[in-house]
Amino acid sequence: MLRKTEQGWMFAQEYLLEDFIWDCLESTLDLIPLKRQLSIKGEYCDILAKTKNNQLAVLELKNCEDRYIIHQLTRYYHSLSLEQPLKELIDYSQPIRLIAIK
């Protein structure tokens, strides 16, 4: 599952990181998991979750260095704000939380 590199430890594949984060969302980040790999405007959000107050949280995961993770999250923010998926579960009057995990 994990492998040692010159930069430190990393998951063998990015989907393993996603599995690990998904399984630990409630215990580590106090978030309720909603959806994985949600397609929106031709892109895929790694994980959508919500707080206990129904605030949407978008998690983008990178198993290696990626300088564009913030740009990716802001594109998701824009698309999610417009389309408002899972509206029955999310209070879109609250700001969307963007979480980058590397």
Side-chain angles (χ1 to χ4, degrees), residues 48-84:
L48 292 184
K50 69 176 185 170
T51 66
K52 290 181 174 116
N53 296 328
N54 297 326
Q55 179 185 22
L56 181 62
V58 182
L59 290 85
E60 180 59 28
L61 313 175
K62 297 296 178 196
N63 199 34
C64 57
E65 184 176 339
D66 187 321
R67 295 178 293 194
Y68 302 106
I69 194 168
I70 301 302
H71 297 288
Q72 201 169 355
L73 279 167
T74 55
R75 285 194 312 271
Y76 296 159
Y77 175 89
H78 178 74
S79 296
L80 290 164
S81 296
L82 293 175
E83 292 196 16
Q84 298 186 352

Side-chain angles (χ1 to χ4, degrees), residues 2 4-6 14 30 34 36 41-42 47-48 51 61 65 70 75 77 81 84 86-87 90 94 100 102:
L2 288 174
K4 183 143 177 67
T5 68
E6 291 180 12
E14 191 167 288
D30 202 26
L34 293 176
R36 292 171 69 166
K41 297 203 177 221
I47 294 176
L48 292 184
T51 66
L61 313 175
E65 184 176 339
I70 301 302
R75 285 194 312 271
Y77 175 89
S81 296
Q84 298 186 352
L86 308 170
K87 195 167 186 168
I90 301 299
Q94 298 183 66
K102 192 256 180 238

Side-chain angles (χ1 to χ4, degrees), residues 8-56:
W9 291 93
M10 66 186 300
F11 285 85
Q13 301 289 327
E14 191 167 288
Y15 78 88
L16 295 171
L17 170 61
E18 185 176 314
D19 289 345
F20 177 76
I21 297 297
W22 180 262
D23 292 340
C24 297
L25 274 177
E26 290 186 78
S27 61
T28 59
L29 297 173
D30 202 26
L31 294 172
I32 300 162
L34 293 176
K35 185 93 172 133
R36 292 171 69 166
Q37 296 298 318
L38 175 81
S39 176
I40 190 154
K41 297 203 177 221
E43 296 187 293
Y44 290 89
C45 302
D46 287 338
I47 294 176
L48 292 184
K50 69 176 185 170
T51 66
K52 290 181 174 116
N53 296 328
N54 297 326
Q55 179 185 22
L56 181 62

